[in-house]
Amino acid sequence: MTNCVEEAGEATVLARITEALGTVLGDGVLDPGAVTMETRFVEDLDLESIDLVVLTGELRAAYGDRVDFPGYFASLDLSEIIGLTVGHLVRHVVKSLR
């Protein structure tokens, strides 16, 4: 059984987000090794708002109600969403799980 600290580790969350991005973008489109904490959703991955909605749906399937994705995105202004990195989302998930 995985303990809470392992489950909430940044590397584990990064891997889950990368996997979810692969689902959102389609098979073969995303090089998993190219996704880092500095990768930007909009500028680097060309995600649009609908893609972010689908991504949060994928992540909600993994984390359930333990992570408030709609509340997190609602707390961001447009420039923050445009500049949002994978690392920002990883840290939000880790914080929510602790």
Side-chain angles (χ1 to χ4, degrees):
M1 179 182 343
T2 303
N3 70 36
C4 188
V5 173
E6 284 179 350
E7 184 176 340
E10 286 187 358
T12 301
V13 174
L14 176 60
R16 285 188 179 167
I17 290 174
T18 301
E19 182 180 313
L21 281 166
T23 301
V24 170
L25 295 172
D27 292 333
V29 174
L30 180 68
D31 172 12
V35 177
T36 69
M37 296 288 276
E38 292 78 30
T39 301
R40 296 167 296 183
F41 289 105
V42 175
E43 292 183 33
D44 298 328
L45 299 174
D46 293 325
L47 262 62
E48 297 184 11
S49 58
I50 189 66
D51 298 320
L52 288 172
V53 170
V54 174
L55 175 64
T56 58
E58 289 291 321
L59 294 173
R60 186 177 175 111
Y63 297 110
D65 292 334
R66 297 179 294 169
V67 181
D68 180 12
F69 293 106
Y72 176 66
F73 283 104
S75 73
L76 303 175
D77 64 33
L78 182 58
S79 65
E80 290 173 314
I81 291 172
I82 291 171
L84 187 67
T85 66
V86 171
H88 289 121
L89 190 55
V90 166
R91 287 185 287 279
H92 170 70
V93 171
V94 169
K95 181 180 174 185
S96 296
L97 294 176
R98 291 203 169 143

